[in-house]
Amino acid sequence: MLEGKRVAVVVPAHDEEKLIAATIGGIPPLVDRIYVVDDGSTDATAEQARGAGDTRVEVISHERNRGVGAATVTGYRRALAEGFDVIVVMNGDNQMDPADLPALVGPVARGELDYAKANRLFTGQAWQLIPRSRYLGNAALSMLTKIASGYWHVADSQSGYTAIAREMLAQLDLDRVYTRYGFPNDMLVHLNVWNARVRDFPSLPVYGVGERSGMRYRHVVPRISWLLAKGFCRRLWEKYVIRDFHPLVFFYLVGFLATASGLVLGIVVVAYRIAGYPFTVGTVVLIALLVLSGSQFTLFAMWFDMESNKDLR
């Protein structure tokens, strides 16, 4: 318990028999309940969690692997059903520093925030501690997530070390949240629709504690980019059309259409030129006008979006 609020920790885990006990052992006494969600593990993850000797632990098992998002949602639902006030997520790979937990939980427990998340990029050691491919992939996805979610002040979008208030979690449609690796990114999109107050907190990156990640960013980045593109459109529609109205929707629409038209026309003109056909100066001017005006409309839309969300921190 912290600030008079009951705290639960959800630990999604898949094949973490070597690290799950260490993860549980590091969770501080302020936590009242630990839900270890064994996501279809093929090893002894569940047995190691039960044998950790912590009476706060409850193991929930999925019969098959459904993804880290689905495991987190399972833990969320159990915590909501049992009335916990603040629900934290810590992965079962022992790569989230438990010393950071009070800093995440405190503002949420006091009602200052709806959602707090760790940011491993704040520290100057991030470049040295995080593997290069993961650092660069994270940076790219963080920029895309800023645009898609509207939380321009939030970075390290791949961090799953978070704390959420019960009231905000109860509002979310958990059936619509993405269930695989892009869960933290999609979660931010859903939170923005409800105008949740979100803030980053510095966290020390922890790597090299006993396992190698099988994740490959060259596969993950395209998949999550498509997820964010769909989330971006859904957020604009639900937040700025259905729930309220804001002209930034038209700025984004005109900007995207004009820029895309200019680029397509430019490619066609270049192809015609390569084939030996001439083109007029007017065509070049039209292409430049479309691209420049489209870029301006898009930048204005981003600025409107930043202004609309500047208080959500």
Side-chain angles (χ1 to χ4, degrees):
M1 184 171 288
L2 184 69
E3 302 285 346
K5 299 297 179 65
R6 299 174 67 222
V7 181
V9 170
V10 175
V11 183
H14 175 69
D15 289 347
E16 298 289 359
E17 65 177 3
K18 295 180 180 179
L19 298 170
I20 190 64
T23 300
I24 294 170
I27 297 177
L30 67 88
V31 173
D32 302 284
R33 184 66 57 84
I34 302 170
Y35 299 106
V36 176
V37 183
D38 175 24
D39 190 31
S41 295
T42 57
D43 62 6
T45 295
E47 291 76 7
Q48 289 293 326
R50 293 189 182 97
D54 195 320
T55 58
R56 299 172 296 173
V57 171
E58 176 183 343
V59 177
I60 307 169
S61 296
H62 288 172
E63 292 184 1
R64 59 180 178 82
N65 178 248
R66 292 160 51 188
V68 63
T72 303
V73 167
T74 294
Y76 275 162
R77 292 188 190 280
R78 183 64 62 89
L80 283 174
E82 297 192 358
F84 285 94
D85 302 297
V86 182
I87 301 95
V88 178
V89 177
M90 294 180 67
N91 291 343
D93 55 9
N94 201 30
Q95 291 188 2
M96 296 175 176
D97 191 346
D100 296 328
L101 195 145
L104 291 174
V105 173
V108 178
R110 292 190 295 269
E112 299 170 7
L113 298 174
D114 300 301
Y115 190 77
K117 59 179 289 295
N119 185 338
R120 298 160 295 181
L121 306 182
F122 270 150
T123 173
Q125 298 173 284
W127 180 251
Q128 288 76 33
L129 295 176
I130 300 176
R132 294 290 186 269
S133 61
R134 298 194 70 170
Y135 186 98
L136 295 174
N138 191 334
L141 289 175
S142 291
M143 178 54 65
L144 293 175
T145 303
K146 287 174 182 284
I147 299 171
S149 70
Y151 288 117
W152 300 86
H153 61 282
V154 168
D156 193 9
S157 60
Q158 303 315 109
S159 174
Y161 194 3
T162 63
I164 189 170
R166 170 184 172 80
E167 294 78 11
M168 179 54 62
L169 183 59
Q171 292 186 76
L172 301 180
D173 185 354
L174 295 177
D175 290 329
R176 297 179 60 189
V177 179
Y178 189 66
T179 59
R180 294 290 175 178
Y181 182 73
F183 169 79
N185 313 75
D186 194 46
M187 188 72 170
L188 288 171
V189 175
H190 285 269
L191 287 166
N192 189 266
V193 172
W194 287 98
N195 290 319
R197 297 162 298 169
V198 177
R199 190 182 305 163
D200 276 347
F201 290 86
S203 179
L204 184 68
V206 179
Y207 287 94
V209 293
E211 68 174 19
R212 292 175 59 88
S213 173
M215 180 181 59
R216 297 292 178 265
Y217 268 87
R218 65 178 179 273
H219 300 143
V220 169
V221 171
R223 185 169 66 248
I224 297 183
S225 297
W226 175 240
L227 170 70
L228 290 172
K230 294 187 293 182
F232 171 75
C233 295
R234 185 179 69 246
R235 178 176 71 89
L236 294 186
W237 176 255
E238 292 188 10
K239 184 170 182 176
Y240 297 124
V241 176
I242 295 179
R243 298 180 185 277
D244 200 356
F245 175 77
H246 198 294
L248 69 83
V249 174
F250 292 111
F251 277 78
Y252 267 128
L253 182 61
V254 173
F256 289 159
L257 288 177
T259 303
S261 299
L263 292 175
V264 170
L265 183 58
I267 292 171
V268 171
V269 167
V270 170
Y272 266 72
R273 179 59 178 169
I274 293 174
Y277 294 98
F279 59 89
T280 64
V281 175
T283 303
V284 176
V285 172
L286 176 60
I287 293 171
L289 182 62
L290 285 171
V291 173
L292 289 175
S293 62
S295 300
Q296 287 182 325
F297 271 100
T298 302
L299 289 174
F300 272 116
M302 288 181 175
W303 180 68
F304 285 141
D305 204 12
M306 290 179 185
E307 286 295 305
S308 179
N309 292 287
K310 67 180 181 181
D311 296 327
L312 301 182
R313 64 175 70 196

